[in-house]
Amino acid sequence: IAGITQAPTSQILAAGRRMTLRCTQDMRHNAMYWYRQDLGLGLRLIHYSNTAGTTGKGEVPDGYSVSRANTDDFPLTLASAVPSQTSVYFCASRDRAGELFFGEGSRLTVL
Amino acid sequence: DAKTTQPPSMDCAEGRAANLPCNHSTISGNEYVYWYRQIHSQGPQYIIHGLKNNETNEMASLIITEDRKSSTLILPHATLRDTAVYYCIASDEVYNQGGKLIFGQGTELSVKP
């Protein structure tokens, strides 16, 4: 049982570099989400997608882009990484009852 | 989605009931209340959700006030493993109509021996 798979689990990145965090789900859920978590700030929504082909901005979308070409994949791209994007990133999908399923997280450090 | 407010931290003695409050005074009629918890740096885990009736499952009970402006998550016999950050969210269950699922900062519950 895979559920939500995120990659990489951890990455150190130089500032200014482009980075894509991958997220794949095998549950055929329509809705998917990207959150970032920083110490003392809880989970903050970056972008979301209600269904394949649509995306929306969350609370902190600046500096990030997403795409949803199909149901299973929801990659998050940092076009030009900055140190303030150092964080733990969680991807999630949501079933029809409204329950969220989370990946294990991707820890990103931007130097 | 309705905004929720939770106390930043709470303590509970092991074996006692932990009662975690959540205020959602702007909740609309079709929004459910969901509870999640996050242990250490793991991904958040679903606990329970409800609309207006009280709910119980193997993990917890959810008490929603009659006016639906607040709720309480009850862990009946807290253990050390229940130490975590607990999040309350109000959201439309019909996800394909939108809903940003804003988590807030949650309540950090510390269960002490």
Side-chain angles (χ1 to χ4, degrees):
Chain A
I1 299 176
I4 298 276
T5 302
Q6 291 186 234
T9 56
S10 181
Q11 182 76 45
I12 298 174
L13 186 68
R17 299 296 294 269
R18 180 183 180 89
M19 178 72 195
T20 295
L21 303 179
R22 300 184 298 280
C23 176
T24 300
Q25 54 115 348
D26 61 1
M27 298 172 282
R28 307 302 294 172
H29 293 164
N30 280 332
M32 296 188 75
Y33 306 82
W34 273 106
Y35 293 89
R36 62 176 288 174
Q37 186 165 39
D38 305 293
L39 191 63
L41 293 178
L43 287 158
R44 293 185 292 170
L45 181 65
I46 305 171
H47 285 288
Y48 66 98
S49 170
N50 288 331
T51 189
T54 69
T55 62
K57 295 182 179 180
E59 302 171 270
V60 288
D62 294 343
Y64 305 95
S65 63
V66 291
S67 61
R68 189 84 186 278
N70 56 61
T71 297
D72 298 344
D73 300 301
F74 191 43
L76 176 73
T77 298
L78 290 67
S80 179
V82 295
S84 62
Q85 292 177 309
T86 292
S87 187
V88 180
Y89 292 85
F90 288 100
C91 179
S93 69
R94 191 179 188 193
D95 70 8
R96 297 189 70 83
E99 181 180 344
L100 282 170
F101 295 80
F102 282 84
E104 291 303 309
S106 295
R107 184 176 296 275
L108 182 66
T109 302
V110 183
L111 301 176
Chain B
D1 293 343
K3 178 180 170 60
T4 60
T5 305
Q6 300 175 253
S9 63
M10 293 182 62
D11 290 339
C12 179
E14 187 178 20
R16 304 297 293 269
N19 297 289
L20 293 94
C22 179
N23 182 287
H24 32 79
S25 59
T26 61
I27 196 168
S28 63
N30 60 344
E31 286 184 314
Y32 285 67
V33 179
Y34 292 84
W35 283 84
Y36 289 80
R37 73 178 183 184
Q38 186 176 26
I39 298 173
H40 299 301
S41 57
Q42 299 175 20
Q45 173 193 23
Y46 167 83
I47 302 173
I48 198 168
H49 76 284
L51 183 62
K52 51 185 174 183
N53 297 322
N54 297 338
E55 302 288 343
T56 296
N57 63 20
E58 64 278 4
M59 292 181 67
S61 294
L62 174 61
I63 309 298
I64 302 174
T65 58
E66 190 170 345
D67 63 8
R68 300 207 331 116
K69 295 183 180 220
S70 65
S71 61
T72 301
L73 179 75
I74 301 173
L75 307 177
H77 305 287
T79 70
L80 299 179
R81 289 177 296 178
D82 291 322
T83 292
V85 178
Y86 288 78
Y87 296 96
C88 167
I89 306 168
S91 178
D92 187 343
E93 184 182 56
V94 184
Y95 65 88
N96 60 2
Q97 291 184 4
K100 293 184 177 181
L101 295 181
I102 305 300
F103 267 72
Q105 298 192 31
T107 296
E108 186 169 6
L109 176 68
S110 296
V111 180
K112 300 182 183 299

